[in-house]
Amino acid sequence: MKLITVAGPPSAGKTSVIIKTAEYLSKYKGKIGIVKFDCLSALDHRLYTEAGLTVVTGLSGNLCPDHYFVSNIDDCVQWGLEKGFDVLISESAGLCNRCAPHIKGVTAVCVVDCLSGVDTPQKIGPMLRYADIAVITKGDIVSQAEREVFAFRVRQANPKAAVMFVNGITGQGAYDLSFSFDEASEVTSLEGARLRFSIPAAICPYCVGETDIGVAHQKGNVKKMAFKEAVPNE
Amino acid sequence: MNNHLLKVPFGRLLQEHPYAGDYFRSIGLSWKDSLLTPAELIESVDEETMEDAGLSHEQMRTHFLEFMEQASALMKGSRRRLNSLTVIGGTDKNGRAENVELELRPGDIMCIVGPTGSGKSRLLADIECFAQKDTPTGRTILIDGKTPSQEERFRFENKLVAQLSQNMNFVVDLNAENFVAMHASSRMVVDIENTVAAVIECANELAGEKFERTTALTQLSGGQSRALMIADTALLSSSPIVLIDEIENAGIDRKKALDLLVKKEKIVLMSTHDPILALMGNRRIAISNGGISAVIETGEKEKENLSVLEAYDAKILSIRNMLRAGKKIDFGMEEFLGLAEKAL
Ligand SMILES: Nc1nc2c(ncn2[C@@H]2O[C@H](COP(=O)(O)OP(=O)(O)OP(=O)(O)O)[C@@H](O)[C@H]2O)c(=O)[nH]1
Ligand SMILES: [Zn+2]
Ligand SMILES: [Zn+2]
């Protein structure tokens, strides 16, 4: 079974892109399964089932969604194999722009949207920097010049990635993307596999339920701000 | 890969590759010493800063080299020549064969006509992705008479198609000048100052009402922003094929706009309902029921009629200008439009 991880900021168009791409994939690749990772509630399963795709949702609740992802992705692979999928796609919203669910040897996609501004590509960390494919959505809403600038900035953030435009509504460009999905390698287990980049450390009292503020409660992994004031034009 | 670039001091590197600093600036790194090399700059970043930026030293090195390679390819490839674009028909919605094979060359204008929803946009989309019998229409698109390579089809760097869409919603908060400059720098243009001046001057020639270099994009009228985008595409975009989803009549000299694209040796495909635009090309494609139903040569009589329509259009335009200038439109309209004789 081929595995693909799709990540991107909230509302970037991940679900739309996956659905349009799956339309092509299912034509020549067979059965497709989806795993949607979210923290609180996710309504995407409706969109997926409407599109005729089998989907499970994982809600991380009060855990960091990406920690939750890593602890569960191998089980997802086992589920996918049992169901006999040919392709399994995981969708997760990178909430802190620092996390990335990308795994070495597994095709990694980052979805970003043109409307989020030309500086956004620089602000997204490993999720974009370590992706194999950067998909840009909502190009229909901006001008050709803005599309070109945005693509350039994406390429600046990750010169190694293939950059593609996909329209999540009309599906334009989804064929191109399905073609790249096809190159994903087969997995049977992620036991022993590695993440491409470490997930932010998060061991402090607040992680385990502390709500009081104050020095006395700042233990474990504490990082303090350096108050360096910005100088104009620097 | 060209590893030695890592060891060239910034002073010399920037002389040869003015864009080399962009990569580092984009991740918030700066340097003051012109003798410093990229390798040294990367090495000087401590582990924690790297971690915060979501990068590693090794990755930064390879990304920088990759960026330099793509930038130079972008500069070289920015004048990609194309000799022909061929559209080979597929089928319409009922599976009826289109039976067409069309060849377009630089400077050609091809209009696409047909009712709303008939499939005009689908044809543009087929061309955009260089369909190889793998879209719903089953059409095939050839580049210079050949099947494009996967590389040509799917890599954005090699995109041969620019698309001027109907909606011009600028989401950047910039003025006209800074916007064009930003585009120019992402296209590795060396002389940004003159390029910006040329694009804005050209846009003003196309737009009915002039705008300033410092006008904010959000203040531009529909016609002005269209004009700016057409000028920008003609002068700055490297794509030899331009797809246009209708140029509205409002405040833009459409003939000049098309002439400009033709002069720049673009292949222009334009879906339209407008008789003047439709007759401006040498041929037009008629679409119905999702398929190409006819390819019509613009005939002699049609060309004659085009001049009549243009004269008529010019008159409407002059009335618009009178309105704008605060004049009254209370003269003999039938006579003005040359309808007087018939009215008698
Ligand atoms: N105009 C336009 N809208 C788009 C495009 N792609 C997605 N959208 C719209 O953007 C909104 C968000 O799309 P989703 O696919 O739900 O985004 P998501 O990334 O899956 O969102 P979450 O899972 O909630 O993080 C929807 O209303 C889509 O219809 C596009 O290419 N163009
Ligand atoms: Zn989603
Ligand atoms: Zn914590």
Side-chain angles (χ1 to χ4, degrees):
Chain A
M1 180 182 70
K2 291 179 187 295
L3 174 65
I4 292 141
T5 58
V6 178
S11 297
K14 300 178 293 296
T15 307
S16 314
V17 166
I18 293 171
I19 288 174
K20 295 292 176 193
T21 311
E23 270 173 35
Y24 288 103
L25 274 179
S26 56
K27 270 187 205 139
Y28 56 92
K29 267 292 145 214
K31 268 182 89 178
I32 295 166
I34 311 280
V35 183
K36 161 79 192 186
F37 284 95
D38 214 323
C39 43
L40 292 175
S41 69
L43 297 173
D44 284 352
H45 60 270
R46 290 198 200 142
L47 298 170
Y48 284 125
T49 49
E50 263 170 42
L53 297 162
T54 309
V55 57
V56 289
T57 303
L59 292 181
S60 62
N62 64 350
L63 272 182
C64 160
D66 294 271
H67 287 80
Y68 180 76
F69 170 89
V70 201
S71 339
N72 286 285
I73 187 66
D74 198 23
D75 297 347
C76 296
V77 169
Q78 300 319 316
W79 169 73
L81 290 169
E82 270 162 38
K83 299 289 283 186
F85 295 134
D86 299 290
V87 183
L88 181 67
I89 304 174
S90 87
E91 182 199 327
S92 54
L95 298 169
C96 67
N97 278 340
R98 163 64 178 75
C99 294
H102 307 323
I103 301 163
K104 286 183 185 164
V106 172
T107 294
V109 181
C110 179
V111 179
V112 282
D113 94 71
C114 283
L115 297 184
S116 61
V118 287
D119 295 326
T120 300
Q122 308 317 329
K123 296 180 190 160
I124 304 173
M127 191 163 69
L128 175 57
R129 295 195 197 279
Y130 282 80
D132 300 308
I133 304 166
V135 170
I136 305 176
T137 56
K138 306 187 193 177
D140 52 325
I141 294 173
V142 304
S143 58
Q144 170 76 18
E146 282 173 292
R147 281 195 292 275
E148 288 183 11
V149 171
F150 198 82
F152 178 75
R153 298 283 171 92
V154 165
R155 218 178 300 137
Q156 220 167 27
N158 183 349
K160 283 250 177 244
V163 179
M164 293 183 180
F165 277 86
V166 178
N167 183 319
I169 291 179
T170 63
Q172 196 169 347
Y175 173 77
D176 307 20
L177 184 60
S178 75
F179 184 84
S180 322
F181 278 16
D182 200 30
E183 289 170 357
S185 48
E186 301 280 330
V187 297
T188 51
S189 163
L190 292 175
E191 193 63 49
R194 297 181 69 101
L195 283 174
R196 297 190 188 194
F197 198 75
S198 68
I199 278 175
I203 317 251
C204 77
Y206 297 103
C207 297
V208 289
E210 178 67 83
T211 52
D212 284 339
I213 297 173
V215 189
H217 308 282
Q218 296 169 2
K219 296 187 192 111
N221 198 338
V222 177
K223 185 171 173 180
K224 302 301 273 184
M225 261 169 88
F227 286 85
K228 182 174 177 281
E229 286 172 26
V231 183
N233 297 322
E234 197 172 270
Chain B
M1 208 176 284
N2 211 346
N3 260 317
H4 85 276
L5 286 177
L6 283 166
K7 301 195 188 81
V8 183
F10 274 109
R12 190 147 54 83
L13 187 65
L14 292 177
Q15 267 171 12
E16 284 161 30
H17 312 278
Y19 46 84
D22 287 359
Y23 174 75
F24 294 106
R25 272 191 293 274
S26 80
I27 41 184
L29 291 183
S30 57
W31 61 95
K32 296 207 171 69
D33 181 0
S34 65
L35 289 177
L36 193 78
T37 66
E40 288 162 352
L41 177 65
I42 293 170
E43 218 36 65
S44 74
V45 183
D46 63 65
E47 214 55 62
E48 195 179 340
T49 314
M50 271 299 179
E51 183 104 336
D52 287 349
L55 279 159
S56 69
H57 289 95
E58 182 47 32
Q59 191 197 25
M60 206 185 271
R61 280 188 286 268
T62 52
H63 274 187
F64 168 67
L65 292 173
E66 184 80 32
F67 173 79
M68 293 300 286
E69 204 153 285
Q70 287 184 13
S72 82
L74 206 59
M75 279 180 92
K76 275 199 221 101
S78 69
R79 291 288 158 246
R80 167 77 153 87
R81 286 281 312 166
L82 188 72
N83 296 315
S84 70
L85 173 78
T86 312
V87 180
I88 301 172
T91 54
D92 71 7
K93 279 182 195 151
N94 300 337
R96 233 194 321 265
E98 287 179 319
N99 286 324
V100 280
E101 181 166 337
L102 274 171
E103 195 184 77
L104 296 162
R105 295 187 169 277
D108 278 352
I109 300 177
M110 178 68 92
C111 285
I112 305 166
V113 296
T116 308
S118 58
K120 299 198 289 290
S121 302
R122 183 67 246 173
L123 177 59
L124 293 182
D126 283 345
I127 292 167
E128 223 264 320
C129 72
F130 299 138
Q132 298 301 322
K133 292 201 171 74
D134 48 19
T135 64
T137 59
R139 293 189 183 115
T140 309
I141 310 293
L142 304 180
I143 298 299
D144 291 340
K146 295 190 298 269
T147 305
S149 65
Q150 294 301 343
E151 188 79 355
E152 264 175 322
R153 272 192 88 180
F154 299 137
R155 281 203 68 112
F156 182 78
E157 294 73 50
N158 305 326
K159 271 285 179 228
L160 296 174
V161 179
Q163 201 159 24
L164 284 175
S165 50
Q166 216 153 15
N167 9 353
M168 282 295 149
N169 303 311
F170 296 110
V171 298
V172 290
D173 178 20
L174 289 174
N175 65 28
E177 171 177 58
N178 292 341
F179 177 69
V180 179
M182 180 171 88
H183 188 203
S185 71
S186 81
R187 298 227 59 100
M188 306 294 150
V189 169
V190 181
D191 185 358
I192 291 185
E193 181 57 32
N194 280 322
T195 307
V196 170
V199 170
I200 291 183
E201 189 189 314
C202 178
N204 270 320
E205 268 169 39
L206 306 179
E209 284 171 288
K210 301 232 176 299
F211 61 92
E212 301 292 324
R213 297 174 61 135
T214 52
T215 307
L217 292 180
T218 47
Q219 301 297 310
L220 296 180
S221 70
Q224 287 170 330
S225 52
R226 269 261 139 163
L228 181 61
M229 282 306 93
I230 291 168
D232 174 282
T233 301
L235 303 182
L236 257 180
S237 177
S238 61
S239 311
I241 303 167
V242 180
L243 307 181
I244 308 181
D245 221 341
E246 190 97 35
I247 307 184
E248 305 107 54
N249 204 349
I252 169 162
D253 192 328
R254 294 167 300 166
K255 187 162 172 50
K256 265 195 201 157
L258 287 178
D259 284 348
L260 173 69
L261 293 168
V262 165
K263 211 167 76 200
K264 291 286 165 188
E265 295 279 283
K266 306 278 185 191
I267 294 177
V268 182
L269 285 112
M270 173 172 49
S271 87
T272 186
H273 297 291
D274 187 294
I276 293 184
L277 291 177
L279 296 180
M280 232 176 239
N282 304 349
R283 285 178 293 176
R284 60 186 185 272
I285 296 174
I287 307 255
S288 68
N289 195 29
I292 298 175
S293 55
V295 178
I296 303 163
E297 293 276 336
T298 313
E300 279 312 310
K301 186 66 194 170
E302 286 186 325
K303 288 270 180 212
E304 270 172 46
N305 284 342
L306 174 62
S307 335
V308 179
L309 285 173
E310 278 173 341
Y312 200 78
D313 199 45
K315 293 203 166 177
I316 302 275
L317 188 69
S318 69
I319 298 175
R320 192 175 290 144
N321 287 335
M322 282 181 233
L323 269 178
R324 230 178 239 148
K327 294 199 178 115
K328 283 195 169 170
I329 315 294
D330 56 359
F331 45 85
M333 188 58 71
E334 289 185 341
E335 201 180 329
F336 179 76
L337 292 177
L339 297 171
E341 311 92 288
K342 284 180 199 137
L344 283 172

